[in-house]
């Protein structure tokens, strides 16, 4: 029986801090309560020490207590939660009364009277909690729950199993910058060859491929590799995860949403560029989709029939590829299959499943094919283990016994996660690893490495996953539990996740690192551990999004539910409703049968609410939580005025995300959210913040505007007048007007992203903003983005006497031709984005001296293709004799280069240019030539995107030239060439 320690200890840390603060505020307490609080504080401190000792010796040894230890820890957890709720509730009630007082000089006497009853009520609750704490301590002694040290000797039955590794944040802050490269799955070459033949077979107009195999054997890896490789050969494609869900409407809606963007010219979900061309009848399809969206509240067959009609109209004259992942029920698959329409063109459906019955449900249909995926052999297992081991920055692999990967039974998931576990424990000897193998399978009568490895059951795979999870440090274990908030198969944003960790107080400053930096090290450690897998990188080389393997997430969700850490409703999980108070709630899209589940639950103690889908699914009382600290509604539709009004009553709120919702404005009452640290209103219709936002002195992150359209968020001028918001670290997507140009007081600012400069053409405003950038550059400013349509300001940056030399990312957009002279002094710069008007040979020579530069982009926006811009491009071309040459030295670290322009002149890559370059992207209406690609030794991908069909003939010639050039590469490693039109 395993114990979940990390989350309990994290909650206790939070409570201890709040208790200390409450003890310091004697004026809020009824006389005599201080003693009770002090007793509770001391008792919790002892409990916290117990939990730390339990973590140190390992959960495996604590199993000797069995159910007694587990039950006692549950009592600790529950009283810790209840104490935190009591403190937060009292702060909410007392703060509300105090904030309504008008005559402040009567503060002491009036406050005593107005708060007498709430304080009396809080005192009574504290007295009860003290009694409970006493009883818990007495109960431990009465039933013999001993200290961890007495749980067994060093050679106990689980020696070497479950001992959490130490973690030093300072030693783990380095993370290599890289681009996501799709690796060929190990050991599945024969599978891929046969399945590629089936997928490209023109004889069958339609067909279903069933990929069947054990959980963790690599079914999804194979199916995804096929999907990515051949997806762009179909007009439309979609990928959906089914799992234990039986909600057909949700599956079809997901497919519809992935093909819907084609009606507006946007790309579909997934990698690989533009996925198919728009077909005739798009406008009719768009109208039907709108009707389908409008009928979200309809139920049963009506909605299902509507979805079928929409998909049929859209697919009837188009080829399509659909990947249906992790189907559990044959009956559910039967319904999905009947709902997917036939087409006059080629259609392919890929289904992955653990159950043979799903594949045999419609046996014998023409064009269908079944492929069973077997575990890897010993040599393939070793190759995969070593690959994952070195990806996790492991060393000294020679001392790792072969038993470690042989015991994984050839299952890729078990092998990879075990490799991450071994890599993160470099101090263990080969003998210790052998003990780990034997302790994981004590019932086995044979050596797990004997006779080519052993076949594992699903329970044994879970045992390996559980062991690797239990080995993690307590803080990181808590952060990993938080992954259960997100739906199965969803790409999780790194920044969204780490900011939420911070808001939940799972992360604290340590060893001189800021909370943001510590959160980053925790995230990177989870990648090393193979708990999460990067699937998308930003152009700066950092991980942008990650996913969690189904079986790992299944384990994490079970752990989170066991500790009442997170309650998940809907989505892909069939879970029982919690019998106790809900602390953190994740409402995932669910079917009508479970729509009313939340109405039956006790939600008065919810401190974190996350919603996926429509706000119409929210319970009627969900926005009336007094102690909510994290509210994440990203992507939710159906926002009403009363929603924002209720949000502004959540006085303890720290994190508020309304990103991509249909909210239009924020009320003045938002100024009451004095604890707010993160406000995310990107990609909404909110274009201006109310003046009262300047009252939020704890606000750290303001995220607004729209990165793609560059619509900016207007800040109130009181930001400068009152100068209260000194905690700000990120100001993103904002508009700068004259009165806001002075930002000197924001000395904590790490990122400044200006999407619009208005009314600062006068000299004082110019000087204020320039001086602010110069001044903040000497503090902590790391990222600077300026979009200057007039170009007057960015062209004046050369006058800075002291450049922001600590910048790691710089973006300057406007009609800039000459670069600031100080740009070569930015030794830490890893990402640089410039207007295409600066694309000149002399500028490239200047930039080649930036040794740390990882990503370089020359871009333009379609709406800025005015005559002046085109004239500058023509002059740049003439100044270089019609050619742009990339110098043959420098750019030592550059891995990613992009050139976006309506007309790209001849680009010549010198012999020794950009030795580390991996990806080259060009987007254009016309490209005159690209030469020297064969000189790029490390090149993996060339991506050509044609914006205007008039340049198609010339582009085809360039493509042929590039293909010919890469064949001349002496190392024989030809990059992949992608052409999108």
């Amino acid at each position: 029986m395993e114990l979940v320690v990390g989350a309990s200890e994290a909650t206790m840390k939070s409570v201890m801090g709040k208790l200390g603060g409450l003890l310091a505020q004697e004026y809020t307490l009824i006389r005599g309560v201080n003693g009770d609080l002090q007793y509770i504080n001391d008792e919790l401190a002892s409990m916290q020490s117990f939990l730390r000792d339990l973590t140190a010796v390992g959960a495996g040894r604590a199993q000797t207590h069995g159910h007694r230890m587990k039950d006692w820890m549950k009592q600790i957890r529950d009283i810790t939660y209840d104490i935190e709720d009591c403190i937060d509730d009292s702060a909410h009630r007392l703060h509300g009364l105090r904030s309504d007082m008008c005559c402040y000089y009567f503060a002491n006497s009036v406050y005593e009277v107005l708060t007498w009853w709430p304080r009396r009520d809080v005192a009574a609750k504290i007295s009860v909690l003290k009694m409970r704490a006493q009883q818990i301590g007495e109960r431990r002694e009465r039933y013999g729950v001993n200290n961890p040290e007495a749980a067994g000797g060093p050679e106990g039955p689980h020696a070497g199993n479950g001992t959490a590794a130490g973690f030093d944040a300072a030693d783990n802050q380095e993370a290599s910058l890289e681009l996501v490269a799709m690796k060929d799955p190990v050991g599945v070459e024969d599978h891929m060859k046969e399945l590629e033949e089936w997928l490209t077979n023109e004889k069958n107009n339609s067909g279903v491929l069933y990929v069947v195999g054990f959980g963790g054997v690599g079914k999804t890896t194979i199916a995804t590799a096929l999907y990515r490789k051949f997806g762009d050969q179909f007009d439309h494609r979609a990928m959906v995860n089914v799992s234990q869900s039986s909600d057909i409407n949700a599956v079809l809606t997901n497919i519809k949403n992935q093909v819907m963007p084609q009606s507006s010219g946007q790309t579909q979900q997934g990698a690989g560029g533009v996925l198919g061309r728009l077909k005739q009848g798009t406008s009719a399809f768009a109208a039907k989709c709108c009707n389908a969206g409008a009928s979200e509240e309809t139920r049963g067959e009506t909605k299902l029939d509507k979805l079928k009609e929409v998909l049929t109209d859209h697919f009837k004259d188009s080829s399509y590829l659909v990947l249906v992942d992790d189907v559990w029920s044959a009956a559910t698959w039967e319904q999905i299959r009947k709902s997917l329409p036939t087409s006059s063109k080629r259609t392919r459906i890929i289904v992955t499943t653990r159950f043979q019955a799903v594949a045999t449900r419609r046996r014998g249909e023409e064009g269908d094919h079944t492929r069973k995926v077997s575990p890897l052999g010993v040599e393939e297992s070793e190759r995969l283990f070593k690959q994952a081991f070195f990806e996790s920055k492991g060393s000294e692999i020679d001392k790792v016994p072969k038993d470690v990967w042989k015991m994984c039974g050839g299952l890729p998931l078990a092998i990879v996660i075990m490799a991450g576990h071994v890599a993160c424990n470099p101090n263990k000897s080969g003998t210790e690893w052998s003990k780990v193998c034997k302790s994981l399978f004590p019932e086995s009568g044979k050596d797990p490495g004997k006779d080519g490895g052993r076949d594992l059951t699903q329970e044994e795979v879970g045992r390996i996953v559980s062991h690797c999870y239990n080995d993690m440090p307590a803080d990181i274990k808590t952060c990993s539990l938080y992954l259960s908030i997100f739906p199965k198969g969803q790409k999780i944003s790194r920044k969204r996740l780490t900011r939420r960790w911070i808001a939940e107080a799972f992360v604290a400053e340590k060893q001189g690192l800021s909370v943001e930096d510590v959160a980053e090290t925790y995230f990177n450690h989870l990648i090393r551990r193979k708990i999460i897998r990067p699937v998308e990188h930003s152009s700066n080389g950092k991980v942008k999004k990650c996913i969690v393997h189904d079986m790992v997430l299944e384990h994490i969700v079970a752990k989170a539910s066991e500790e009442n850490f997170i309650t998940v409703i809907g989505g892909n999980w069939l879970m029982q409703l919690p019998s106790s108070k809900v602390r953190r709630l994740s409402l995932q899209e669910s079917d009508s049968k479970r729509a009313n589940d939340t109405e039956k639950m006790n939600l008065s103690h919810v401190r974190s609410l996350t919603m996926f889908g429509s706000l119409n699914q929210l319970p009627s009382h969900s926005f009336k939580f007094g102690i909510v600290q994290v509210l994440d509604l990203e992507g939710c539709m159906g926002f009403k005025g009363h929603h924002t009004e209720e949000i502004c009553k959540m006085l303890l709120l720290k994190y508020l995300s309304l990103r991509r919702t249909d909210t239009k404005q924020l009320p003045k009452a938002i100024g009451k959210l004095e604890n707010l640290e993160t406000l995310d209103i990107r990609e909404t219709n909110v274009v201006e913040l109310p003046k009262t936002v300047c009252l939020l002195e704890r606000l750290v992150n303001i995220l607004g505007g729209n990165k793609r359209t560059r619509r900016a968020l207007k800040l109130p001028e009181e930001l400068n007048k009152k100068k209260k918001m000194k905690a700000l670290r990120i100001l993103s997507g904002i508009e700068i007007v004259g009165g806001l140009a002075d930002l000197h007081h924001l000395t904590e600012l790490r990122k400044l992203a200006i999407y619009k400069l208005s009314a600062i053409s006068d000299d004082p405003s110019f000087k204020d903003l320039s001086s602010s950038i110069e001044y903040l550059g000497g503090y902590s400013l790391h990222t600077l983005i300026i979009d200057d349509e007039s170009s007057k300001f960015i062209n004046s940056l050369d006058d800075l006497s002291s450049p922001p030399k600590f910048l790691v990312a710089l973006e300057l957009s406007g009609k800039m031709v000459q670069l600031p002279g100080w740009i070569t002094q930015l030794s830490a710069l890893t990402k640089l984005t410039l207007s295409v008007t600066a694309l000149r040979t002399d500028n490239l020579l200047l930039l080649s001296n930036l040794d740390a530069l990882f990503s370089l982009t020359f871009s333009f926006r379609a709406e800025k293709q005015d005559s002046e811009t085109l004239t500058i491009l023509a002059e740049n071309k003439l100044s270089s004799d019609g050619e742009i040459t990339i110098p043959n030295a420098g750019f030592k670290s550059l891995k990613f280069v992009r050139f976006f322009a309506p007309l790209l002149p001849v680009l010549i890559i010198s012999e020794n240019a950009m030795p580390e370059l991996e990806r080259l992207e060009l987007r254009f209406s016309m490209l005159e030539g690209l030469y020297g690609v064969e000189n790029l030794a490390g090149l993996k991908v060339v991506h050509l995107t044609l914006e205007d069909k008039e340049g198609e003939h010339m582009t085809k010639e360039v493509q042929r030239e590039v293909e010919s050039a890469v064949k001349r590469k002496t190392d024989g490693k030809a990059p992949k060439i992608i052409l999108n039109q």
Side-chain angles (χ1 to χ4, degrees):
M1 184 176 301
E2 295 167 354
L3 301 171
V4 188
V5 179
S8 294
E9 188 179 354
T11 304
M12 196 165 288
K13 285 180 182 178
S14 174
V15 174
M16 298 282 284
K18 292 178 180 180
L19 273 173
L22 195 59
L23 282 166
Q25 299 174 18
E26 296 184 14
Y27 65 86
T28 66
L29 304 175
I30 291 288
R31 292 175 180 84
V33 173
N34 290 59
D36 290 348
L37 282 176
Q38 189 63 57
Y39 177 88
I40 293 172
N41 188 70
D42 295 342
E43 194 72 4
L44 285 181
S46 298
M47 292 177 181
Q48 185 182 36
S49 298
F50 183 94
L51 290 177
R52 285 174 176 167
D53 291 340
L54 188 63
T55 304
V57 301
R61 296 187 195 175
Q63 289 175 5
T64 54
H65 290 298
H67 292 281
R68 286 176 294 164
M69 175 67 79
K70 190 172 183 180
D71 183 67
W72 188 72
M73 285 188 61
K74 178 180 181 297
Q75 294 175 43
I76 293 178
R77 181 192 68 220
D78 289 345
I79 193 173
T80 304
Y81 280 143
D82 288 344
I83 292 170
E84 186 171 28
D85 288 348
C86 178
I87 297 170
D88 289 342
D89 184 52
S90 64
H92 178 262
R93 292 165 68 185
L94 297 177
H95 172 89
L97 288 169
R98 187 161 195 165
S99 64
D100 292 335
M101 290 171 58
C102 301
C103 303
Y104 194 75
Y105 55 87
F106 283 120
N108 292 331
S109 56
V110 175
Y111 184 76
E112 287 278 345
V113 174
L114 290 179
T115 64
W116 182 86
W117 174 249
R119 287 186 296 119
R120 184 84 178 177
D121 187 43
V122 170
K125 291 180 179 178
I126 290 174
S127 179
V128 172
L129 289 168
K130 176 191 174 182
M131 187 178 299
R132 282 180 59 190
Q134 288 175 326
Q135 292 170 349
I136 289 173
E138 293 168 358
R139 196 175 293 118
R140 182 171 79 89
E141 295 180 3
R142 188 162 59 246
Y143 292 101
V145 180
N146 299 321
N147 293 328
E149 290 79 5
E155 300 300 327
H158 293 277
N161 182 24
T163 303
F167 182 79
D168 190 305
D171 290 340
N172 286 271
Q173 55 186 315
E174 287 295 328
S176 57
L177 304 180
E178 56 187 50
L179 300 172
V180 170
M182 292 305 298
K183 300 180 179 66
D184 293 330
V186 173
V188 295
E189 291 81 4
D190 292 339
H191 293 300
M192 292 295 292
K193 183 178 180 181
E194 178 182 326
L195 299 181
E196 287 177 10
E197 290 177 356
W198 173 86
L199 201 63
T200 56
N201 188 353
E202 299 292 342
K203 294 181 180 179
N204 296 319
N205 194 50
S206 63
V208 179
L209 168 64
Y210 297 95
V211 183
V212 184
F214 200 69
V217 80
K219 306 180 298 296
T220 301
T221 303
I222 295 171
T224 303
L226 291 169
Y227 180 82
R228 291 179 180 275
K229 186 171 183 178
F230 297 99
D232 55 0
Q233 297 181 11
F234 294 82
D235 296 324
H236 304 288
R237 65 175 179 175
M239 178 191 298
V240 291
N241 187 289
V242 178
S243 194
Q244 301 173 51
S245 172
S246 59
D247 188 357
I248 309 303
N249 287 342
V251 173
L252 297 183
T253 300
N254 195 341
I255 294 173
K256 181 198 74 172
N257 290 341
Q258 291 183 56
V259 299
M260 269 184 65
Q262 292 236 335
S263 64
S264 57
Q266 299 175 15
T267 58
Q268 295 180 32
Q269 178 178 320
V274 180
L275 312 173
R277 302 178 182 177
L278 296 179
K279 299 296 175 181
Q280 293 181 350
T282 298
S283 57
F285 166 69
K288 286 186 175 291
C289 285
C290 290
N291 292 334
S295 62
E296 278 292 320
E297 299 180 7
T298 62
R299 296 290 183 265
E301 296 181 0
T302 303
K303 181 177 180 180
L304 184 60
D305 291 343
K306 191 68 177 178
L307 286 166
K308 288 180 182 178
E309 181 183 350
V310 170
L311 292 174
T312 299
D313 285 358
H314 192 51
F315 283 150
K316 63 183 179 182
D317 295 321
S318 305
S319 63
Y320 67 85
L321 172 65
V322 175
L323 170 55
V324 186
D325 188 36
D326 196 25
V327 178
W328 282 52
S329 165
T332 299
W333 164 239
E334 179 78 9
Q335 288 183 280
I336 296 172
R337 182 70 183 93
K338 289 179 179 178
S339 301
L340 293 174
T342 58
S343 172
S344 60
K345 293 190 176 182
R346 184 165 60 109
T347 65
R348 293 289 186 270
I349 302 171
I350 304 174
V351 177
T352 69
T353 181
R354 304 179 192 183
F355 308 101
Q356 187 68 34
V358 174
T360 57
R361 182 66 177 246
R362 299 171 66 100
R363 181 183 294 171
E365 291 198 8
E366 185 179 357
D368 288 2
H369 181 71
T370 300
R371 182 72 178 188
K372 185 172 182 179
V373 182
S374 303
L376 303 177
V378 176
E379 292 182 2
E380 294 164 337
S381 297
E382 181 177 2
R383 182 154 56 99
L384 178 59
F385 181 89
K386 290 181 176 179
Q387 174 183 300
F389 179 82
F390 290 119
E391 284 177 358
S392 294
K393 302 178 183 177
S395 59
E396 299 184 46
I397 196 167
D398 294 337
K399 75 177 186 181
V400 182
K402 293 183 179 180
D403 291 356
V404 173
W405 61 79
K406 285 185 177 181
M407 75 168 178
C408 296
L411 295 180
L413 170 64
I415 294 169
V416 166
I417 199 170
M418 198 67 192
H421 169 51
V422 174
C424 291
N425 287 274
N427 296 324
K428 280 192 177 181
S429 64
T431 303
E432 289 176 299
W433 286 120
S434 295
K435 288 182 178 180
V436 168
C437 295
K438 292 177 181 178
S439 66
L440 280 171
F441 302 102
E443 71 280 5
S444 176
K446 66 174 184 177
D447 179 354
K450 190 176 179 181
D451 300 327
R454 52 195 309 278
D455 295 332
L456 301 183
T457 65
Q458 199 80 22
E459 185 273 333
E460 288 174 326
V461 177
R463 199 182 301 176
I464 292 175
V465 172
S466 180
H467 167 80
C468 296
Y469 166 86
N470 287 332
D471 177 73
M472 293 192 297
D475 288 348
I476 297 179
K477 206 180 297 182
T478 303
C479 292
S480 71
L481 286 178
Y482 210 64
L483 296 167
S484 58
I485 279 178
F486 299 94
K488 193 174 185 178
Q490 174 164 316
K491 293 180 181 180
I492 304 170
S493 163
R494 170 181 60 88
K495 292 182 179 179
R496 181 185 187 185
L497 181 62
T498 54
R499 284 175 186 144
R500 291 191 54 165
W501 285 346
I502 293 169
E504 293 272 12
F506 298 155
V507 182
E509 294 181 357
K510 59 175 64 176
Q511 297 173 301
L513 300 178
S514 67
V515 286
E516 291 87 357
D517 293 335
V518 173
E520 193 101 348
T521 64
Y522 286 4
F523 183 86
N524 293 332
H525 190 76
L526 287 174
I527 291 176
R528 286 190 65 199
R529 289 275 183 169
K530 303 299 182 182
I531 299 296
I532 57 178
R533 179 169 63 87
V535 290
E536 192 175 327
H537 278 63
S538 297
S539 56
N540 62 3
K542 288 188 175 184
V543 177
K544 184 177 183 180
K545 293 183 179 180
C546 66
I547 60 172
V548 189
H549 190 280
D550 293 351
M551 289 189 66
V552 176
L553 185 59
E554 190 174 334
H555 176 82
I556 289 173
V557 169
K559 289 283 187 183
S561 177
E562 175 187 339
E563 188 153 349
N564 195 24
F565 185 69
I566 291 171
T567 300
V568 179
I569 299 296
N572 299 99
W573 309 108
L574 296 177
M575 302 183 68
Q576 292 183 345
L577 294 180
S579 57
S580 55
K581 304 164 187 174
V582 177
R583 309 291 177 174
R584 296 176 182 87
L585 179 62
S586 175
L587 288 172
Q588 301 175 10
E589 292 179 302
S590 59
D591 53 36
S592 56
K593 297 177 184 178
R594 308 175 65 190
N596 297 322
D597 283 349
T598 51
E599 297 285 356
K600 307 171 187 176
M601 295 160 53
N602 180 0
L603 302 180
S604 61
H605 297 265
V606 170
R607 58 184 59 253
S608 171
L609 174 62
T610 308
M611 177 71 197
F612 300 91
S614 171
L615 290 176
N616 295 327
Q617 301 179 45
L618 280 170
S620 58
H621 56 291
S622 62
F623 267 36
K624 297 178 181 178
F625 310 147
I627 61 172
V628 172
Q629 297 179 17
V630 173
L631 181 62
D632 191 341
L633 304 177
E634 181 172 325
C636 292
M637 295 290 111
F639 223 89
K640 308 296 182 184
H642 70 88
H643 287 140
T644 52
E645 292 175 5
E646 293 293 339
I647 288 172
C648 292
K649 296 176 183 178
M650 301 177 182
L651 302 183
L652 301 179
L653 204 59
K654 291 183 178 180
Y655 179 98
L656 174 60
S657 176
L658 305 177
R659 185 179 186 183
R660 286 199 295 273
T661 64
D662 50 356
T663 185
K664 297 178 181 178
Q665 65 179 18
L666 298 179
K668 294 179 180 179
I670 196 170
K672 295 181 179 180
L673 305 181
E674 294 183 2
N675 294 287
L676 194 63
E677 296 174 357
T678 295
L679 175 61
D680 190 350
I681 48 175
R682 289 173 290 179
E683 301 168 68
T684 66
N685 292 321
V686 178
V687 295
E688 185 174 0
L689 290 178
K691 296 178 181 179
T692 51
V693 79
C694 297
L695 300 174
L696 307 180
E697 298 183 20
R698 297 183 184 180
L699 200 56
V700 175
N701 307 308
I702 295 180
L703 308 166
N706 188 308
K707 187 176 182 179
R708 184 177 60 84
T709 64
R710 290 302 167 110
R711 183 169 64 180
L713 175 68
K714 189 174 181 180
L715 301 177
E717 294 193 10
E718 281 73 12
L719 177 70
N720 275 345
K721 293 177 181 178
K722 296 185 178 181
K723 298 186 184 298
K724 286 186 176 183
M725 304 175 71
K726 296 182 179 180
L728 279 172
R729 296 194 182 190
I730 296 179
L731 262 179
S732 182
I734 64 169
E735 176 183 354
I736 292 289
V737 296
L740 281 171
D742 183 4
L743 304 174
H744 286 78
H745 61 292
L746 303 178
T747 53
E748 296 293 323
L749 205 62
R750 297 176 66 143
K751 177 178 180 178
L752 176 61
I754 303 170
Y755 287 179
K756 185 177 181 181
L757 287 170
S758 301
I760 66 163
S761 57
D762 57 303
D763 289 338
S765 297
F766 255 65
K767 291 179 180 178
D768 284 343
L769 186 55
S770 296
S771 176
S772 296
I773 292 172
E774 189 173 336
Y775 181 73
L776 297 176
Y779 282 86
S780 55
L781 190 63
H782 291 168
T783 301
L784 178 62
I785 299 171
I786 303 176
D787 195 322
D788 182 12
E789 190 168 352
S790 71
S791 306
K792 293 179 181 179
F793 180 75
I794 60 170
N795 284 317
S796 72
L797 289 175
D798 194 36
D799 298 333
L800 293 183
S801 58
S802 177
K805 61 180 67 176
F806 301 119
L807 287 180
V808 295
L810 175 63
E811 180 176 336
L812 301 175
S813 180
K815 300 179 183 68
M816 169 183 281
V817 178
Q818 298 296 329
L819 301 180
W822 45 261
I823 202 167
T824 56
Q825 300 179 38
L826 305 182
S827 58
L829 195 68
T830 58
K831 177 183 177 181
L832 178 61
T833 302
L834 299 169
S835 171
V836 75
T837 55
L839 180 57
R840 297 164 53 99
T841 298
D842 55 349
N843 285 338
L844 287 170
L845 185 61
L846 194 68
L847 297 175
S848 66
N849 296 314
L850 296 172
D851 291 343
L853 196 62
F854 176 91
S855 165
L856 175 62
T857 300
F858 289 92
S859 67
F860 75 103
R861 298 216 312 275
E863 63 268 24
K864 290 193 174 182
Q865 291 186 55
D866 53 21
S867 58
E868 185 179 356
T869 300
L870 297 176
T871 300
I872 293 173
L873 295 179
E875 290 175 352
N876 288 345
K877 176 181 173 182
L878 291 174
S879 68
S880 304
D881 298 326
E883 302 173 345
I884 303 295
T885 303
I886 301 175
N888 62 1
F891 291 124
K892 295 179 180 178
S893 304
L894 196 63
K895 289 191 176 183
F896 186 25
V897 171
R898 296 182 291 188
F899 299 108
F900 300 160
L903 172 62
L904 278 177
V906 174
L907 298 175
I908 299 177
I909 302 170
S910 302
E911 186 173 352
N912 297 315
M914 304 181 292
E916 299 295 323
L917 193 72
E918 295 182 3
R919 186 177 182 93
L920 175 63
E921 289 188 10
L922 296 93
R923 185 184 302 160
F924 48 85
S925 296
M926 184 170 291
L927 172 62
E928 295 184 350
L930 177 62
Y931 302 101
V933 177
E934 67 273 14
N935 296 326
L936 301 172
L939 191 64
K940 296 178 180 178
V941 176
V942 179
H943 200 142
L944 308 175
T945 300
L946 178 62
E947 298 283 356
D948 190 339
K949 301 234 5 152
E950 291 183 6
E952 183 174 5
H953 176 70
M954 184 176 290
T955 304
K956 291 281 189 182
E957 291 183 1
V958 172
Q959 182 187 14
R960 286 192 289 270
E961 172 59 32
V962 173
E963 290 173 344
S964 175
V966 297
K967 290 178 182 178
R968 298 194 295 270
K969 284 174 64 95
T970 56
D971 57 10
K973 298 179 180 178
K976 182 178 182 180
I977 301 173
I978 302 172
L979 176 62
N980 289 326
Q981 301 179 40

